[in-house]
Amino acid sequence: MPGGILTLITFVPLVGAIVIAFLPRERPDLARFTALGTALLAWVFSLYMLIGFLPTHPGFQFVEVADWIPAFGIQYKLGADGLSVVLVVLTTTLTWISILASFGPIKERVKEYMISFLILEVGMVGVFLALDLFLFYIFWEVVLVPMYLIIGIWGGPNRIYATIKFVLYTLVGSLLMLVAILATGFAFQDAHGGQWAGAFDFEQLRAFAGTTGFANGLQLGAFLAFFLAFAIKIPMFPFHTWLPDAHVEAPTAGSVILAGILLKLGGYGFIRFALPLFPDAAKTYAPAIIVLSLIALIYGAIVALVQPDLKKLVAYSSVSHMGFVTLGIFIFQQQGLYGAILQMVNHGLITGALFLLVGVIYERTHDRTIAKMSGLSGRTPVYAATFGFFMLASVGLPGLSGFVGEFLVLVGSFAYAPAVAGVATITMIFTAGYLLWMYQRLFFGEMSAFLHEIGSHLTDMRPVETLTLVPLATLVVVFGLFPGLVLHLVDGTVTSVLNSLGRATAINLLFWQ
């Protein structure tokens, strides 16, 4: 494996964005195909990394280190373990699919759109690979700007409101996380005689947390700051209210990336940083986070049940499904953590596909009202079958990937507390209810007057639309039948996180020092 593979994956999209900036504006197809080619190249590099990754080797692989701001111990440090590899490949896959899906719908300011999308990929990949906390924060913030532009320029009629809400929520969490990062770095520096070397290096901080450990007060405060940043991004209840607005106003590809990748940044942050660095605080706050996760499961499902807008229904289903991720993380059980990681991957594939399918019908009808769409199957049988496949995957049909992740979380939840598993199981019944009812209203019964008026414009799926969904459907089946392909990759990550928690003791909130 040649050196610099992680830098290539991270910054090839930036090179593509620079090239597109110099292309003539009157040739939008050049921008489209350059962006697609760049995204495919990054995808190929990520697959090369996947092939070269050795799951049985502990620690991070392909590590790249260079001094960046040595006076404060800040480094350019990238590295990948199994969790990083899985999420980077998911990111590069959904990026080229999203760019391809944008060829038809995006007709204005194509250059700027493609540049924004490629810079967004730089930030997302960088978050999953950064091993310096300050570098991680830079990539975390990079993600915010292009997504703001994608929603704010190419979004729906209420896009300005949605973007301002999105930015305010995420910026508040990010700034609190920056304070926690600086506090952690200063604490490490103080413990090492005023030396800044390694003060933001995740591997050194993790080793310090596992031996000496940070003071109780710092752990409680820093974990809470990290929690708010990651909980807003997931988003957990009650920090979720920005998500439905952002989804509804975002263009189709923006919704795919928002659901498929951006929500995973929060789950990744919990597993990578919050638990290993502040294990005692994690155990202290875990019961409250589990309760919030259960509320998110139930609340998201019930609210989705009554949504008249198809896209908003899928958005609220994300709130519910991501509740399984946080539940699986904070029950501190092996099966639960495996299930949480697998659920992150599955949610990216399945919900990303559902948003693509919502975009397909919206392009033909310019409407997403479920009540107006009855009888779609008569005119669009391929679309109906494809939608049904991904709907059943989201329900958790055995044999498809959505089942395995939720099942593992339920197994871990039962080991933690049978009552917790019982509440989560009831939520799965709600999920089946709102998805099956939605599908019945869309595709069965007599064709609505609204669809009759559309007439010949209501066509079945086009080849490009099918091409964007075939890879996702394939992975849903493969991971449903062979979940070990993902679980084997992340085995080292799960073991490392649980080992750090195994040495932890919950902090007494009344008498901490």
Side-chain angles (χ1 to χ4, degrees):
M1 179 68 65
I5 184 66
L6 303 187
T7 296
L8 277 174
I9 299 170
T10 305
F11 290 106
V12 158
L14 180 60
V15 175
I18 294 171
V19 171
I20 292 172
F22 289 96
L23 295 177
R25 188 178 299 276
E26 59 273 13
R27 296 289 304 278
D29 282 345
L30 280 179
R32 291 187 179 102
F33 284 104
T34 302
L36 179 61
T38 303
L40 284 170
L41 184 60
W43 178 61
V44 169
F45 282 135
S46 70
L47 294 180
Y48 189 49
M49 172 191 65
L50 174 63
I51 293 171
F53 182 76
L54 302 174
T56 56
H57 285 212
F60 293 93
Q61 300 176 37
F62 321 118
V63 175
E64 304 169 22
V65 186
D67 286 334
W68 183 18
I69 311 176
F72 295 99
I74 298 173
Q75 302 171 305
Y76 172 81
K77 184 174 183 180
L78 303 180
D81 64 354
L83 178 62
S84 301
V85 169
V86 167
L87 292 177
V88 166
V89 174
L90 177 66
T91 301
T92 57
T93 303
L94 286 178
T95 299
W96 75 257
I97 288 174
S98 298
I99 289 175
L100 181 59
S102 302
F103 274 28
I106 303 300
K107 298 179 175 63
E108 298 180 357
R109 307 182 74 171
V110 175
K111 274 182 57 172
E112 291 86 346
Y113 179 88
M114 295 302 170
I115 290 171
S116 298
F117 231 96
L118 290 175
I119 294 176
L120 179 63
E121 184 178 17
V122 172
M124 294 185 298
V125 172
V127 164
F128 295 136
L129 295 177
L131 291 182
D132 181 279
L133 263 66
F134 193 82
L135 180 65
F136 165 78
Y137 178 77
I138 296 298
F139 282 124
W140 181 276
E141 291 296 279
V142 165
V143 169
L144 180 63
V145 178
M147 181 54 71
Y148 168 81
L149 296 175
I150 289 169
I151 301 174
I153 297 175
W154 295 276
N158 294 320
R159 58 187 180 273
I160 302 302
Y161 168 76
T163 51
I164 291 174
K165 196 173 183 180
F166 166 68
V167 169
L168 288 177
Y169 267 76
T170 53
L171 194 59
V172 167
S174 298
L175 291 175
L176 290 172
M177 181 173 68
L178 176 60
V179 173
I181 289 172
L182 294 174
T184 304
F186 274 104
F188 182 87
Q189 178 244 8
D190 288 341
H192 288 78
Q195 299 298 315
W196 280 102
F200 298 99
D201 186 318
F202 168 70
E203 290 187 285
Q204 293 196 42
L205 290 172
R206 182 179 61 179
F208 179 77
T211 53
T212 305
F214 293 101
N216 289 346
L218 176 65
Q219 284 206 44
L220 290 170
F223 181 91
L224 190 59
F226 273 95
F227 167 78
L228 288 173
F230 300 149
I232 288 170
K233 191 70 79 175
I234 282 181
M236 287 184 66
F237 178 91
F239 312 106
H240 67 284
T241 57
W242 64 267
L243 180 68
D245 294 314
H247 269 310
V248 168
E249 300 305 325
T252 296
S255 292
V256 172
I257 292 298
L258 188 60
I261 306 299
L262 259 65
L263 305 191
K264 312 306 175 296
L265 301 185
Y268 172 83
F270 279 132
I271 298 170
R272 169 67 72 239
F273 298 108
L275 299 190
L277 296 183
F278 317 112
D280 299 327
K283 285 200 168 183
T284 302
Y285 289 119
I289 298 174
I290 289 171
V291 171
L292 290 177
S293 301
L294 294 175
I295 293 173
L297 283 169
I298 299 172
Y299 168 83
I302 292 176
V303 176
L305 185 66
V306 298
Q307 290 305 311
D309 184 292
L310 181 58
K311 201 173 189 182
K312 190 168 281 191
L313 184 150
V314 179
Y316 274 107
S317 77
S318 290
V319 175
S320 183
H321 281 104
M322 290 303 290
F324 274 103
V325 173
T326 51
L327 177 62
I329 293 171
F330 283 94
I331 55 177
F332 304 146
Q333 300 286 332
Q334 185 181 43
Q335 299 94 333
L337 194 51
Y338 275 125
I341 295 172
L342 193 57
Q343 181 70 0
M344 286 197 288
V345 176
N346 296 336
H347 181 268
L349 299 173
I350 297 168
T351 306
L354 288 175
F355 277 117
L356 285 173
L357 289 163
V358 172
V360 168
I361 198 62
Y362 183 76
E363 286 300 308
R364 288 152 175 77
T365 64
H366 300 289
D367 202 301
R368 295 187 298 263
T369 306
I370 297 173
K372 294 182 179 180
M373 302 293 175
S374 63
L376 268 174
S377 61
R379 295 284 292 273
T380 58
V382 175
Y383 177 72
T386 307
F387 203 116
F389 172 83
F390 286 106
M391 180 274 297
L392 291 173
S394 187
V395 167
L397 183 71
L400 301 179
S401 63
F403 169 76
V404 187
E406 293 181 356
F407 175 76
L408 287 173
V409 173
L410 290 177
V411 171
S413 299
F414 192 86
Y416 174 82
V420 171
V423 173
T425 304
I426 292 172
T427 302
M428 295 180 69
I429 299 172
F430 281 116
T431 301
Y434 71 74
L435 287 172
L436 290 169
W437 188 39
M438 173 269 291
Y439 190 77
Q440 183 269 331
R441 287 181 290 164
L442 282 176
F443 294 101
F444 299 121
E446 294 184 5
M447 183 175 293
S448 66
F450 174 75
L451 294 183
H452 274 297
E453 292 176 6
I454 295 173
S456 60
H457 294 290
L458 186 61
T459 58
D460 213 337
M461 293 181 64
R462 304 184 184 101
V464 171
E465 294 167 342
T466 303
L467 181 59
T468 60
L469 290 163
V470 166
L472 302 180
T474 302
L475 291 174
V476 166
V477 173
V478 170
F479 293 156
L481 297 176
F482 306 103
L485 294 173
V486 174
L487 300 180
H488 181 53
L489 287 173
V490 302
D491 186 62
T493 304
V494 171
T495 301
S496 174
V497 171
L498 292 179
N499 284 342
S500 67
L501 291 166
R503 298 186 295 267
T505 304
I507 299 168
N508 186 331
L509 291 173
L510 297 178
F511 300 104
W512 58 268
Q513 296 179 350

